[in-house]
Amino acid sequence: EVVLTQSPGTLSLSPGETATLSCRASQSVGSDYLAWYQQKPGQAPRLLIYATSKRATGIPDRFSGSGSGTDFTLTISRVESGDLAVFYCQQCSSAQVTFGQGTKLEIK
Amino acid sequence: QVQLVQSGAGMKEPGSSVKVSCKSSGGAFNNYFINWVRQAPGQGLEWMGGILPVHGIIKDAQNFGGRVSISTDESTGTVYMELHSLRPEDTAVYYCARDVRQFTFASGFVQWGQGTLVTVSS
């Protein structure tokens, strides 16, 4: 099983700053199979990024994804108060899907 | 716009089974993998398995030791997930979620159901 480790655990930023979220895999992950989600309190997760860097429909270009192999990054530019959420990365390898443990984004 | 509507919450006793449904409306269904993901209270996301309705292809999560059964009724656009031998630690919100790409497994889950809370307690 591929283990995804996200860092930091919690990120506290002021509006307008840039958030950089890391997702590190225990084995190499195909770029087509790395996704990022945002989950706000009391809601289902929302797909932000799939295939490492493709934005899902309706996702603003403030959200961008990058990376390859075992290191992937979600960048949120110009953080807003409405971005308060937990962010998860997800991978699929050998027909098994795993999620990272999440990064909580707090807005100061 | 595809919507996924799940069955309601329920309480179950340890050792029993629960069957959750996920009905698709408003768009293509059969050509996309429908996955099941659960979230225990205050915890992260855990994938349970998925099915491609048009071909009946099923992907199982190894972590559940065969306790998960996933099936589909193409005529009604409904996917079912049954979890057997329930334990208190199976208490969670269970989500169904559709893949973003046709015929492609787990490239990203773009459409989610509203979630079904299953509580396991005696």
Side-chain angles (χ1 to χ4, degrees):
Chain A
E1 175 180 288
V2 175
V3 176
L4 297 178
T5 302
Q6 293 186 238
S7 61
T10 302
L11 191 54
S12 185
L13 295 174
S14 298
E17 292 189 304
T18 296
T20 302
L21 286 67
S22 172
C23 176
R24 180 160 291 177
S26 60
Q27 304 169 36
S28 185
V29 173
S31 60
D32 273 351
Y33 297 99
L34 194 289
W36 290 92
Y37 300 85
Q38 176 190 49
Q39 186 177 33
K40 296 182 177 180
Q43 297 184 15
R46 177 174 72 148
L47 178 66
L48 298 174
I49 301 288
Y50 66 100
T52 298
S53 60
K54 296 183 187 299
R55 272 187 298 276
T57 302
I59 301 302
D61 59 8
R62 297 189 299 110
F63 294 87
S64 62
S66 63
S68 64
T70 59
D71 289 300
F72 298 87
T73 300
L74 174 70
T75 302
I76 310 171
S77 303
R78 305 180 302 281
V79 162
E80 302 174 353
S81 58
D83 295 334
L84 167 77
V86 178
F87 293 83
Y88 295 95
C89 58
Q90 172 230 313
Q91 70 81 40
C92 178
S93 178
S94 301
Q96 295 296 297
V97 175
T98 55
F99 291 88
Q101 84 281 13
T103 290
K104 184 176 183 179
L105 176 61
E106 296 179 342
I107 309 299
K108 293 178 184 175
Chain B
Q1 176 74 358
V2 175
Q3 287 194 339
L4 301 178
V5 180
Q6 300 182 218
S7 49
M11 182 166 285
K12 293 291 183 179
E13 292 199 346
S16 68
S17 299
V18 66
K19 192 170 186 176
V20 183
S21 66
C22 171
K23 183 174 174 57
S24 173
S25 63
F29 166 76
N30 290 333
N31 296 341
Y32 294 86
F33 273 92
I34 304 293
N35 296 271
W36 290 92
V37 177
R38 74 177 182 179
Q39 187 169 37
Q43 302 301 308
L45 303 170
E46 183 178 27
W47 176 75
M48 304 177 68
I51 187 168
L52 180 63
V54 68
H55 296 314
I57 296 172
I58 294 174
K59 307 287 188 181
D60 288 327
Q62 294 169 350
N63 292 348
F64 286 84
R67 292 195 300 134
V68 177
S69 299
I70 298 174
S71 59
T72 183
D73 182 344
E74 288 184 69
S75 66
T76 62
T78 304
V79 170
Y80 301 92
M81 185 283 298
E82 189 167 19
L83 184 59
H84 307 279
S85 303
L86 288 168
R87 310 157 183 166
E89 54 266 37
D90 292 319
T91 294
V93 175
Y94 290 77
Y95 294 102
C96 59
R98 180 180 70 88
D99 254 288
V100 65
R101 291 169 163 166
Q102 293 191 71
F103 305 111
T104 303
F105 173 61
S107 54
F109 302 158
V110 68
Q111 188 68 38
W112 293 68
Q114 83 275 18
T116 298
L117 176 61
V118 175
T119 303
V120 183
S121 174
S122 53

